[in-house]
Amino acid sequence: QVQLVESGGGLVQAGGSLRLSCAASGSLTSIKAMGWYRQAPGKQRELVATITIVGSTNYADSVKGRFTISRDNAKNTMYLQMNSLNPEDTAVYYCNVDRYGRDLWGKGTLVTVSS
């Protein structure tokens, strides 16, 4: 069964950078879009960035200019490069694959940004 596994989270100082990875265990053939979500303590899960099957990207205003979403099809891996991190970015980050309404989710990776 296809699974998504996030990695790359950890503790980083404000102003620092992290790169998150989301690896799929198998091929995905019914993809509309892929993206990263995050959920901060006591907050609702929110969309961070998306990349469609044709490669167009979209970002939440709060991360625009700081985060970059990308993918490597040969490695079945999606990335989120996070720069200029601030404490408000602290959250569990989840990988998502939209299979035309049937979502796949990873278990999440924790990003903690200290001031």
Side-chain angles (χ1 to χ4, degrees):
Q1 187 173 356
V2 176
Q3 296 186 71
L4 305 176
V5 179
E6 302 96 336
S7 62
L11 177 64
V12 65
Q13 294 180 339
S17 299
L18 285 174
R19 188 178 74 159
L20 306 183
S21 298
C22 172
S25 63
S27 298
L28 297 172
T29 59
S30 300
I31 300 174
K32 179 181 180 181
M34 298 170 285
W36 290 93
Y37 289 71
R38 68 185 182 186
Q39 187 166 21
K43 305 294 184 181
Q44 292 184 252
R45 187 174 298 187
E46 64 175 348
L47 181 66
V48 176
T50 61
I51 182 167
T52 70
I53 194 65
V54 297
S56 60
T57 58
N58 189 54
Y59 299 90
D61 289 340
S62 60
V63 307
K64 191 172 298 182
R66 300 187 297 121
F67 291 10
T68 303
I69 188 171
S70 63
R71 64 170 183 257
D72 186 333
N73 291 335
K75 296 181 178 180
N76 291 319
T77 303
M78 180 176 62
Y79 304 96
L80 184 68
Q81 178 66 45
M82 305 184 295
N83 299 325
S84 301
L85 287 163
N86 61 68
E88 295 180 347
D89 296 316
T90 295
V92 177
Y93 284 72
Y94 297 91
C95 175
N96 169 262
V97 176
D98 180 1
R99 298 184 297 171
Y100 294 93
R102 296 187 295 275
D103 290 342
L104 291 176
W105 293 92
K107 293 182 178 180
T109 185
L110 177 63
V111 172
T112 303
V113 185
S114 62
S115 59

